Amino acid sequence: MKQFFTTGAFLFLMGFVAMAQTPRNIVINANKTVAKIEPTMWGVFFEDINFGADGGIYAELIKNRSFEFSKPLMGWKIEQKPFVEGAVTVLNRAGENLPNPRFLRVKSGIDNQAPIAMVNEGFRGMGIKEKNGYDFSVQSRTAATGLKLHIELLDAKNNQIGSTVLAIQPSADFSKQAIHLVATANEKKGQCRIWLEGKGTIDLDMVSLFPEDTWKKRPGGMRADMIQLLADMKPGFIRFPGGCIVEGFDLSQRYQWKKTIGPIEDRQLIINRWNFEFPNRNAPDYFQTFGLGFFEYFQLAEDIGAEALPILNCGMACQFNSAEFVQLDQLDPYVQDALDLIEFANGAVTTTWGAKRAAMGHPAAFNLKFLGIGNENWGPQYIERLAHFQKAIKAKYPAINLVTSSGTDPSGARYEYLNKELRGMNADIIDEHFYRNRDWFLQNAKRYDTFPRTGSKVMAGEYASHADGISGNKKNNWQSALSEAAFMTGLERNADVVHLASYAPLFAHLDAWQWAPDLIWVDNLQSYGTPEYHVQKLYSLNKGHKAVETSWNKEVIAGQDSLYASSVVDTLANELIIKLVNVSFSAKQTQIQLEGIKKMLPQAELILLNSPDPTAINSIEQPMLVAPKSSTVLIKKNKLDYEIPANSFVVIKVKLQ
Ligand code: AHR
């Protein structure tokens, strides 16, 4: 028979087989704590990007409800046949300096003209659910009697799928009129038509339609399916409201929290800077109505058991855009906003801002512990502005932990400068951002091993592995998620340095996104978590209280033979939780030796997250294509023999006794 292998190739193959059969001896010592884990360790970062708030978690279905978009009738279509000029006009009370100056004046039935209808297209359509109730409301002003407003829900083909009639009460001032209706069919791309019956002139403003099945059934509340995905993660913190929207294109467009509380009709809308930031993903209909404001964010944090982490503008607009800075001698109002926010969150009801919180329905304090000053700001201009905030806030509220910016990148001159300055200022927490490719994540699993153990702590506040480099145009796939899982073993092992971590961005609407990848994708009716979502959730649900020594050949496991690992002990559940990541295309046989444990149950829970296809993504059609699967694994004489499948993230939970 013809010799198939050369001798060299044969020896190489035998060596390979021998290597494949030699288990990698991982040693975990549950008694050797390497880091205490903060309860805030794994959190979420919410920004109104990709239609995350308006058109996203804020459940309002009417777009441009107060006619304050740059084009006052954007999102609305006026229907009247034949069309009578001047039957609908947009009026502006500009002289009165109101937060919501525009309204619509409609002349109905004059000279026997045909009925006037106005159709709102929603946020790339409206998600309407069969048998679900909807709360319609409008602010109206009219002297006419007998006017009726017909409200109709429409499907994508303009068929009626729910209707009701609201008898308008005459009123000299704007007054809220409301009515409930029920949908008769499901529709992802629905619309809402309103039309007038009767004769008279009527002024309309704040036209609103909310589903009744909001999160916690709060009227005018949030989309329940999206918030449930967050709640399921049990995040340690929620950072809000951004991101770049905090900075604004220029200072006039910065996020001002005081304009986002109180009655919603008094919250002044501004353009969302993601409206025009990426010419290839323009969203001319993207505005911030602030129906979802700081009170609602605090309430959301409380609902999902997360620490609130608001970020405030530091007197600097986005340095990639206008780079407009407030003069240092005019910074006081910005600093005052920060002090007032702390009072709004924590102050007694007898204080000015505590009273406003109480008036909104929350007399108890929100117990704010963290506050961010600036988002991705950099340079000496940031440091000198930050110093003013730090001095004033620490003097009045020394217990508040300030989160500070290390700029846009995790390395380079800007980062080095800020890191040094911030540590010199004894900053509480330094926020680091990294949007990088898969290799960066794999190569940086040891990033924090060499960070100082005293002084400033780190928040890995925005990170994402981008499958296609950092162009930000592709959806998440399994390979990018796996590289984050590998990197996160390094965060966990260094939990004494890294106190907070969050993926970014959080939400994206499939028909209205500006930035990808993102953690959770939605359309108007459904939502699903990406492979990354499951990675983040597995870390968060298996956070533990202390990271313990995990080694191979007495070294931390951070890429040798494509393996990554870390372990924690949950002292309340009395569990040792092991995280293993195999980023190679071959399975890896391991023998895991468990030390420092007197007794344990012989059967451990094993959660496997993997896919044979590294480019696999989840979708509306297959929301759980890449999702965790549970099984068990046996431990014999403190040893666990386990072959980690190719391209896998594994969590093993050992019950200690
Ligand atoms: O997460 C998207 C953007 O990325 C954030 O707004 C900003 O902080 C970063 O540049």
Side-chain angles (χ1 to χ4, degrees), residues 45 47 49 239 243-244 274 375-376 433 435 462 504-505 515:
F45 161 48
E47 176 169 20
I49 184 174
R239 174 180 169 221
C244 291
W274 297 111
N375 174 46
E376 281 182 347
H433 294 180
Y435 298 97
E462 294 184 29
W515 178 302

Side-chain angles (χ1 to χ4, degrees), residues 199-211:
K199 219 177 224 190
T201 297
I202 182 168
D203 295 338
L204 301 173
D205 202 358
M206 294 301 287
V207 185
S208 172
L209 182 72
F210 270 92

Side-chain angles (χ1 to χ4, degrees), residues 579-655:
K579 304 195 177 79
L580 303 168
V581 182
N582 175 7
V583 298
S584 87
F585 282 82
S586 54
K588 306 276 169 172
Q589 185 61 48
T590 60
Q591 183 171 79
I592 304 172
Q593 187 166 328
L594 306 177
E595 295 181 352
I597 304 170
K598 284 200 189 100
K599 260 180 120 186
M600 66 194 98
L601 285 187
Q603 188 163 293
E605 181 188 355
L606 186 145
I607 305 164
L608 174 65
L609 185 63
N610 76 349
S611 167
D613 174 9
T615 64
I617 58 169
N618 290 342
S619 60
I620 292 285
E621 294 73 31
Q622 289 186 291
M624 296 295 269
L625 184 68
V626 184
K629 291 173 201 73
S630 272
S631 61
T632 53
V633 64
L634 287 179
I635 305 166
K636 286 185 203 142
K637 295 190 182 156
N638 285 24
K639 286 198 175 71
L640 202 159
D641 289 305
Y642 179 61
E643 187 181 72
I644 315 175
N647 285 315
S648 295
F649 173 38
V650 181
V651 178
I652 299 175
K653 301 173 82 164
V654 181
K655 267 272 173 233

Side-chain angles (χ1 to χ4, degrees), residues 147-453:
L147 276 179
K148 287 181 181 161
L149 192 63
H150 291 251
I151 299 120
E152 298 171 352
L153 305 177
L154 305 177
D155 69 11
K157 292 183 180 146
N158 269 343
N159 301 311
Q160 220 186 78
I161 53 168
S163 68
T164 189
V165 183
L166 174 65
I168 300 282
Q169 301 305 314
S171 156
D173 287 322
F174 275 102
S175 73
K176 184 173 173 176
Q177 323 251 341
I179 196 160
H180 188 79
L181 70 163
V182 175
T184 56
N186 286 317
E187 177 57 63
K188 203 171 269 191
K189 295 278 183 184
Q191 302 192 86
C192 178
R193 177 197 282 138
I194 56 177
W195 61 273
L196 278 159
E197 182 191 338
K199 219 177 224 190
T201 297
I202 182 168
D203 295 338
L204 301 173
D205 202 358
M206 294 301 287
V207 185
S208 172
L209 182 72
F210 270 92
E212 67 177 0
D213 63 343
T214 54
W215 169 253
K216 291 195 178 281
K217 302 270 185 294
R218 287 197 187 109
M222 301 190 200
R223 214 178 112 172
D225 61 324
M226 293 174 73
I227 302 301
Q228 191 60 55
L229 281 166
L230 297 189
D232 291 347
M233 294 173 79
K234 297 198 193 309
F237 68 90
I238 177 165
R239 174 180 169 221
F240 59 85
C244 291
I245 64 163
V246 168
E247 302 166 49
F249 178 88
D250 59 21
L251 286 172
S252 74
Q253 289 175 16
R254 73 189 192 278
Y255 197 102
Q256 298 183 59
W257 75 268
K258 287 177 179 166
K259 295 187 175 178
T260 75
I261 59 164
I264 56 168
E265 57 274 21
D266 294 343
R267 302 185 189 180
Q268 193 172 11
L269 163 156
I270 60 170
I271 195 165
N272 189 312
R273 56 96 68 187
W274 297 111
N275 178 311
F276 50 81
E277 181 65 15
F278 297 130
N280 59 329
R281 300 290 315 169
N282 258 351
D285 54 345
Y286 202 3
F287 287 76
Q288 300 181 78
T289 62
F290 300 121
L292 178 58
F294 261 42
F295 177 83
E296 290 78 17
Y297 283 125
F298 279 121
Q299 202 174 36
L300 171 64
E302 187 174 76
D303 287 349
I304 61 177
E307 295 293 348
L309 169 41
I311 308 291
L312 296 182
N313 186 293
C314 63
M316 301 168 81
C318 178
Q319 286 158 275
F320 289 121
N321 295 156
S322 67
E324 185 187 22
F325 307 154
V326 74
Q327 250 181 228
L328 265 186
D329 61 2
Q330 289 170 18
L331 190 63
D332 282 358
Y334 291 71
V335 177
Q336 193 58 48
D337 274 359
L339 296 171
D340 292 343
L341 179 65
I342 300 169
E343 186 175 290
F344 177 70
N346 294 352
V349 296
T350 47
T351 62
T352 310
W353 290 96
K356 291 187 197 289
R357 180 194 70 240
M360 291 186 75
H362 202 288
F366 280 118
N367 197 14
L368 178 71
K369 301 187 185 91
F370 298 89
L371 179 61
I373 305 300
N375 174 46
E376 281 182 347
N377 298 107
W378 69 77
Q381 297 83 1
Y382 174 64
I383 294 297
E384 58 193 8
R385 281 164 183 74
L386 175 68
H388 284 261
F389 282 90
Q390 194 187 37
K391 190 169 169 219
I393 296 170
K394 288 290 173 187
K396 195 162 181 196
Y397 300 108
I400 293 285
N401 294 291
L402 292 183
V403 175
T404 58
S405 160
S406 67
T408 53
D409 294 280
S411 55
R414 271 182 202 154
Y415 171 84
E416 297 303 336
Y417 167 78
L418 285 175
N419 194 39
K420 185 162 169 278
E421 292 293 321
L422 292 171
R423 286 177 187 278
M425 289 167 81
N426 208 14
D428 297 321
I429 297 165
I430 302 176
D431 182 15
E432 302 194 344
H433 294 180
F434 16 93
Y435 298 97
R436 290 291 187 269
N437 63 25
R438 170 179 179 266
D439 289 347
W440 187 92
F441 278 86
L442 296 182
Q443 285 155 14
N444 278 273
K446 284 185 170 180
R447 175 179 174 85
Y448 296 107
D449 289 2
T450 49
F451 264 52
R453 306 333 270 188

Side-chain angles (χ1 to χ4, degrees), residues 465 467-468 475-482 517 531-532 613-617:
S465 166
D468 62 343
K475 302 234 176 92
N476 325 43
N477 65 30
W478 171 235
Q479 205 170 37
S480 49
L482 192 61
E532 266 92 347
D613 174 9
T615 64
I617 58 169

